[in-house]
Amino acid sequence: MINVIGLGYIGLPTALMMAAHGVEVIGTDYNKQLVDTLNAGKTTFKEKGLDELFQAAVKAGVKFTTEYQHTDMYIVSVPTPYDKFSKKVDASYVVAAVKEVMKVCEKGATVVVESTVSPGTMDRFVRPVIEENGFVIGKDIHLVHAPERIIPGNMVYELLHNNRTIGADSREIGEKVKQYYATFCEGDIVVTDVRTAEMTKVVENTFRAVNIAFANELARICRHDDMDVYEIIRICNMHPRVNILQPGPGVGGHCIGVDPWFLVGDYPQLAKVISESMKTNDSQPAYVLGRIHEIMKENHLTDTSRVGLYGLTYKENVDDFRESPALQLIEAQRRHLAQPLKSYDPFLENNVITDNQHSDFDAFLADTDMVVIMVKHDHIKQNWDKLKGKVILDCCNICPLAGTYHI
């Protein structure tokens, strides 16, 4: 039996996928309301294919509880935020979960940490917890790092098809853990050491963050001299060895906007390009706010409360709003004590901000003179006609209407 610790965006799909493929799984989370919801037969967030996977896992016997289980394998999948001052990983959730595991686990158990951590976190924080409880790592307890590699919006597909990395102290244990993931994973599963597994996951997201920062900086350069950044990128990408990404309103979510800071925090004198790239991405929502004010002035609009943000999630077609550029922009605007912006997102049924969030698209449009497209949900692509007559700032380069402004 496997006890999956943490039933959020990563832990829940992992637990369901293993259970649906014949592994005995019990999912544990400290949040009783979340566990009660799952036990009532409902999922806790929206995700393509998740409801069907949930039903298959329930049929296969998956269980949910707030209690840690006596078993021989644990998968820890809890949040790993970063300290915004030091830029270092906050491993407190992982440490707390491992401490609880140590209270119930048997000798010979394997503890797999899926949470993304900075290189050396397992050595600095996780191993001491195990040793302080009187266990000998490699003999009494086996420690493994198997970082998740999926993205909201396509989790079920990526769980099945993405390659995986298993970092273990011994090849034998790595291969044993690999067999569990191989019950559902159709991609390649590489077994390596723990520190390499830590580093590869962080580097993957850092690579993407640096490339996004280049696109965002290029957009600012082109704006400065009134050049079309999208046309420039299109032509440059015709070169066989060039693949520039599209600029956007910022970076959100719990991966690309967070993980690269781990390297900056651990290697402040070495991670110079990474640090500057993250600063560029973090400042992009404030840059968009400046563009809003420029366009308002050009169109003689004076009331910011008549400006509406379309899209509050961090990416298209999901309900995940963690670290979203829209919420970062709203926070930047609040610091300037301006009239609050209107907002709407078709994927958010409940308010995630305290004021001016609409639940009806038509009512949102009736209350706005200017619409800022922050997220390229499929919903907006089906409603262009309703935006006619509005001043539009398209941060995603998707709007076909004439006169649309861009970042």
Side-chain angles (χ1 to χ4, degrees), residues 344 358-368 379 383 386 390:
Y344 170 78
H358 281 265
S359 59
D360 180 80
F361 185 53
D362 291 332
F364 165 74
L365 293 178
D367 280 351
T368 57
H379 169 268
N383 286 280
K386 292 185 177 182
K390 303 288 184 183

Side-chain angles (χ1 to χ4, degrees), residues 12 20 32 74 130 145 148 180 204 233 280 287 291 344:
L12 179 61
K32 186 177 184 302
Y74 301 84
I130 296 173
H145 181 46
E148 56 84 11
Y180 283 100
E204 288 166 1
I233 290 175
T280 295
Y287 172 77
R291 283 290 291 146
Y344 170 78

Side-chain angles (χ1 to χ4, degrees), residues 237-353:
N237 282 349
M238 294 172 69
H239 190 287
R241 291 180 294 279
V242 175
N243 184 24
I244 303 171
L245 302 179
Q246 296 293 304
V251 177
H254 195 62
C255 291
I256 300 177
V258 175
D259 296 354
W261 281 123
F262 296 168
L263 292 179
V264 176
D266 287 346
Y267 307 99
Q269 300 305 314
L270 300 176
K272 299 298 187 182
V273 171
I274 300 169
S275 178
E276 291 303 314
S277 297
M278 294 301 289
K279 290 175 184 176
T280 295
N281 289 339
D282 284 358
S283 65
Q284 192 71 355
Y287 172 77
V288 173
L289 183 60
R291 283 290 291 146
I292 291 172
H293 291 155
E294 291 173 0
I295 295 166
M296 287 180 65
K297 185 176 181 180
E298 182 177 336
N299 289 272
H300 308 290
L301 302 176
T302 58
D303 187 357
T304 55
S305 69
R306 297 285 299 174
V307 177
L309 301 181
Y310 175 91
L312 293 171
T313 60
Y314 91 88
K315 68 185 296 285
E316 66 274 12
N317 303 325
V318 301
D319 62 354
D320 188 347
F321 56 87
R322 293 175 296 173
E323 309 289 338
S324 82
L327 296 187
Q328 293 176 49
L329 188 153
I330 289 170
E331 182 58 33
Q333 193 235 9
R334 282 173 173 165
R335 290 197 294 268
H336 289 85
L337 301 177
Q339 287 290 322
L341 303 171
K342 299 290 193 303
S343 62
Y344 170 78
D345 194 298
F347 282 83
L348 298 178
E349 298 176 356
N350 301 314
N351 285 2
V352 297
I353 56 176

Side-chain angles (χ1 to χ4, degrees), residues 17-304:
M17 187 64 75
M18 284 191 167
H21 286 80
V23 179
E24 184 182 358
V25 177
I26 295 182
T28 296
D29 199 287
Y30 75 94
N31 186 331
K32 186 177 184 302
Q33 182 179 356
L34 180 151
V35 170
D36 288 345
T37 299
L38 294 173
N39 282 327
K42 300 178 182 178
T43 52
T44 49
F45 56 90
K46 297 177 182 177
E47 178 69 33
K48 182 171 61 178
L50 186 65
D51 287 341
E52 293 81 0
L53 180 62
F54 180 81
Q55 294 304 320
V58 169
K59 186 176 180 180
V62 68
K63 295 180 174 60
F64 308 104
T65 179
T66 57
E67 302 294 327
Y68 285 68
Q69 303 298 301
H70 294 275
T71 186
D72 57 1
M73 185 168 172
Y74 301 84
I75 294 179
V76 176
S77 185
V78 296
T80 47
Y82 74 101
D83 184 290
K84 294 189 177 182
F85 177 74
S86 70
K87 307 303 184 186
K88 292 181 180 292
V89 65
D90 176 359
S92 59
Y93 293 97
V94 173
V95 168
V98 173
K99 283 182 177 179
E100 292 301 313
V101 168
M102 293 300 101
K103 295 177 182 179
V104 298
C105 69
E106 308 288 344
K107 283 189 176 182
T110 299
V111 178
V112 181
V113 175
E114 275 206 1
S115 306
T116 301
V117 296
S118 65
T121 297
M122 300 286 279
D123 289 343
R124 293 194 302 270
F125 298 102
V126 180
R127 292 185 193 274
V129 171
I130 296 173
E131 292 166 347
E132 287 165 6
N133 281 270
F135 293 108
V136 177
I137 297 174
K139 179 181 178 182
D140 301 327
I141 298 292
H142 303 291
L143 188 58
V144 174
H145 181 46
E148 56 84 11
R149 296 172 105 182
I150 59 177
I151 190 169
N154 205 26
M155 285 181 172
V156 174
Y157 178 88
E158 293 201 348
L159 269 173
L160 287 169
H161 298 284
N162 282 7
N163 301 329
R164 302 285 307 222
T165 304
I166 308 292
D169 293 333
S170 76
R171 186 82 188 186
E172 179 185 357
I173 295 301
E175 291 293 338
K176 174 185 174 183
V177 172
K178 175 180 176 178
Q179 294 309 308
Y180 283 100
Y181 285 97
T183 60
F184 65 86
C185 178
E186 299 174 17
D188 293 332
I189 304 176
V190 177
V191 177
T192 184
D193 62 272
V194 171
R195 199 175 182 90
T196 297
E198 290 174 315
M199 188 65 167
T200 52
K201 173 57 192 298
V202 174
V203 167
E204 288 166 1
N205 285 332
T206 300
F207 173 82
R208 296 169 66 198
V210 170
N211 281 274
I212 291 169
F214 174 73
N216 287 336
E217 190 167 276
L218 185 61
R220 299 185 194 187
I221 292 170
C222 292
R223 171 62 51 198
H224 182 270
D225 274 349
D226 196 26
M227 294 180 282
D228 185 342
V229 67
Y230 303 105
E231 177 70 356
I232 290 168
I233 290 175
R234 185 186 70 82
I235 294 171
C236 289
N237 282 349
M238 294 172 69
H239 190 287
R241 291 180 294 279
V242 175
N243 184 24
I244 303 171
L245 302 179
Q246 296 293 304
V251 177
H254 195 62
C255 291
I256 300 177
V258 175
D259 296 354
W261 281 123
F262 296 168
L263 292 179
V264 176
D266 287 346
Y267 307 99
Q269 300 305 314
L270 300 176
K272 299 298 187 182
V273 171
I274 300 169
S275 178
E276 291 303 314
S277 297
M278 294 301 289
K279 290 175 184 176
T280 295
N281 289 339
D282 284 358
S283 65
Q284 192 71 355
Y287 172 77
V288 173
L289 183 60
R291 283 290 291 146
I292 291 172
H293 291 155
E294 291 173 0
I295 295 166
M296 287 180 65
K297 185 176 181 180
E298 182 177 336
N299 289 272
H300 308 290
L301 302 176
T302 58
D303 187 357
T304 55

